[in-house]
Amino acid sequence: MFHFNDQTQFLDNITSLANTYLAPKVMEIDQGYYPLMELEKLGKAGLFAPHLNEYDNRFDLAILANANVGRVCGTSAFVTWCHQVMGLYLDQSQNTSLKSLLDTHKVADTFGGTALSNPMKSWAKIEPMILTAKPCDGGYVVSGTLPWISHIAPRQYCGAVAKIDGADDEVFFVLSFDDDRMGQWQLHECPDFSGMQGSGTLRIELNNYVVQASQIIASPCKDFITRIRGAFVLMQMGIGAGVIMGAIDDIKQGTAVSNAFLEDQAGTLSVELDRLVAKTIALAKTPFETHKDFFLDVLSVREQGALLALKATQSALLHQGAKGYVMSASPQRRVREAHFVAIVTPAIKHIRYLSHQLMGEPQVKPIEFFI
Ligand SMILES: Cc1cc2nc3c(=O)[nH]c(=O)nc-3n(C[C@H](O)[C@H](O)[C@H](O)COP(=O)(O)OP(=O)(O)OC[C@H]3O[C@@H](n4cnc5c(N)ncnc54)[C@H](O)[C@@H]3O)c2cc1C
């Protein structure tokens, strides 16, 4: 259905659509408008497809395309990343019942995100698993509350994981907020965030939510997660690289002569970004590598991406001065977008803690780690 042979044309088309549909609404999105109709246009142009099996798992292309979205709007790029990784889960699942959902998901006829922060942190021994599943006839009954999950709404869905009661394993499933299950799920407003307000982020409350066999992505799921975790993290580079590209654009608009005295200039930041993108693209060639050294490399690139996003957006604000500090200016917005890149799971602190564990360092409590 999509053709990605002409990579440049595909990427240019995503840029053009982002400029046409997202750029005029970027402030509204920052303040809470969830741009589903705009993201549908990007989905129809193939943004959610290159990394799928059908298109030879072109993770590089999916990441570069999402960076073009993030260059315009970091919040939108976060939402599109959520959508991309939900597609990854459906695509890599062995459960053929999920094929029809993948078909609508990849062309943005249906929408859904990912609730994997808590499980990822649980596997990294940062916090306990929140959702619990009790086996029942033909499936599971799941309960628990996830505090903030993005790109969800009634009639949408997300990938979620629950710990199976009495077993040393979990079930990874499609959590659908469909009308038939009213009462089993509730979605609640979150507090106002300093950014990402338009990401459709809500609190999920599940009370005996029935998961049927047709909804199961993987169970047992440890091997499945080991296979996809590198791709999950690597794809976040699309958000980070986009925010950095946008910050470099902002720097180029600064006109003060005194800007020459700032440490980080457009040229030096571009060199750093190009290096990081090259590493990302190289890692994206083996997205399902399970060796821990691969995952360590992915975590390292992801951490460097977050740090560079912080540095580049701060530099853009310093370059534009008061003009960039105006509430409608992009530098102040991008600073908040970069903060999110740095704190969303895996946050910089989680990456360091997890890398420490993976490198086989003696187990230490986090507090000791930083002394
Ligand atoms: C705008 C936004 C959108 C997000 N979207 C998603 C999403 O789509 N999918 C997803 O899975 N996650 C999402 N998250 C969660 C995010 O990835 C982090 O996991 C989350 O912000 C908590 O990480 P942390 O580093 O603050 O927690 P840590 O500092 O690592 O947590 C430390 C401890 O604090 C506890 N803790 C964490 N949060 C709370 C809380 N609210 N109240 C009480 N105790 C708490 C934890 O149990 C943990 O033990 C989103 C968060 C935000 C702010």
Side-chain angles (χ1 to χ4, degrees):
M1 144 130 214
F2 297 114
H3 300 283
F4 298 116
N5 297 344
D6 191 339
Q7 179 167 326
T8 309
Q9 189 188 41
F10 166 63
L11 294 175
D12 287 350
N13 191 30
I14 295 294
T15 299
S16 157
L17 291 170
N19 285 328
T20 305
Y21 295 104
L22 293 175
K25 297 221 163 129
V26 78
M27 274 186 60
E28 279 173 67
I29 296 169
D30 186 44
Q31 289 162 12
Y33 170 65
Y34 177 30
L36 221 44
M37 281 183 303
E38 291 73 12
L39 301 186
E40 189 184 338
K41 309 266 185 214
L42 294 162
K44 301 282 180 229
L47 179 64
F48 305 127
H51 61 301
L52 305 177
N53 286 335
E54 184 183 349
Y55 298 103
D56 299 329
N57 307 113
R58 292 289 310 274
F59 281 82
D60 56 340
L61 206 47
I63 293 167
L64 292 173
N66 206 27
N68 290 351
V69 176
R71 186 175 192 165
V72 175
C73 175
T75 300
S76 299
F78 171 55
V79 176
T80 44
W81 168 81
C82 293
H83 199 94
Q84 285 181 327
V85 291
M86 181 64 207
L88 166 71
Y89 310 153
L90 295 172
D91 194 43
Q92 294 305 313
S93 172
Q94 301 291 317
N95 186 348
T96 50
S97 314
L98 297 172
K99 170 93 178 63
S100 57
L101 182 58
L102 177 63
D103 286 344
T104 55
H105 185 86
K106 72 182 171 202
V107 295
D109 280 345
T110 57
F111 296 96
T114 166
L116 250 56
S117 282
N118 165 255
M120 287 284 178
K121 284 160 78 179
S122 162
W123 292 315
K125 302 181 183 67
I126 295 170
E127 63 187 34
M129 190 81 74
I130 293 176
L131 298 182
T132 51
K134 286 194 170 74
C136 70
D137 216 12
Y140 296 93
V141 173
V142 176
S143 296
T145 299
L146 296 168
W148 25 54
I149 304 299
S150 309
H151 195 34
I152 54 168
R155 281 173 228 115
Q156 292 182 202
Y157 46 87
C158 63
V161 177
K163 182 173 176 3
I164 301 172
D165 210 17
D168 180 25
D169 214 332
E170 297 96 10
V171 54
F172 189 178
F173 63 100
V174 177
L175 170 52
S176 303
F177 305 106
D178 47 37
D179 296 343
D180 299 348
R181 295 156 195 270
M182 285 288 186
Q184 297 178 18
W185 57 267
Q186 287 180 64
L187 299 178
H188 305 276
E189 294 285 310
C190 285
D192 282 349
F193 299 111
S194 69
M196 299 295 131
Q197 284 287 85
S199 57
T201 302
L202 297 167
R203 176 161 55 91
I204 301 174
E205 188 185 331
L206 300 182
N207 291 301
N208 296 323
Y209 178 97
V210 179
V211 175
Q212 290 154 350
S214 59
Q215 289 169 265
I216 295 177
I217 295 170
S219 187
C221 69
K222 284 194 172 68
D223 288 349
F224 185 84
I225 295 299
T226 306
R227 186 173 144 75
I228 59 138
R229 64 183 181 179
F232 171 96
V233 176
L234 202 57
M235 291 192 94
Q236 293 180 334
M237 288 302 287
I239 319 169
V243 171
I244 297 163
M245 284 154 73
I248 294 171
D249 294 340
D250 291 346
I251 289 173
K252 289 179 180 162
Q253 286 174 18
T255 49
V257 177
S258 51
N259 279 344
F261 289 84
L262 292 169
E263 294 86 347
D264 301 305
Q265 298 290 330
T268 50
L269 290 166
S270 296
V271 170
E272 284 189 68
L273 175 63
D274 289 349
R275 247 187 241 139
L276 219 44
V277 169
K279 278 190 205 164
T280 304
I281 298 305
L283 291 167
K285 292 205 184 318
T286 55
F288 304 119
E289 172 61 63
T290 54
H291 197 283
K292 78 169 182 181
D293 287 348
F294 172 76
F295 194 43
L296 277 165
D297 286 344
V298 169
L299 290 172
S300 167
V301 159
R302 167 72 175 87
E303 180 188 349
Q304 290 170 55
L307 292 171
L308 189 58
L310 293 173
K311 185 162 82 169
T313 53
Q314 167 151 311
S315 178
L317 187 58
L318 296 180
H319 274 80
Q320 287 208 13
K323 192 175 131 207
Y325 198 60
V326 170
M327 204 56 213
S328 59
S330 41
Q332 60 76 28
R333 170 175 56 81
R334 290 197 222 275
V335 164
R336 292 181 284 105
E337 291 174 352
H339 286 161
F340 186 71
V341 173
I343 65 128
V344 71
T345 305
I348 291 173
K349 61 181 182 177
H350 302 147
I351 292 171
R352 291 179 183 168
Y353 183 43
L354 179 56
S355 303
H356 183 77
Q357 292 176 39
L358 286 168
M359 284 188 288
E361 303 291 333
Q363 282 290 315
V364 289
K365 293 195 185 96
I367 187 76
E368 292 166 354
F369 177 57
F370 288 106
I371 288 173

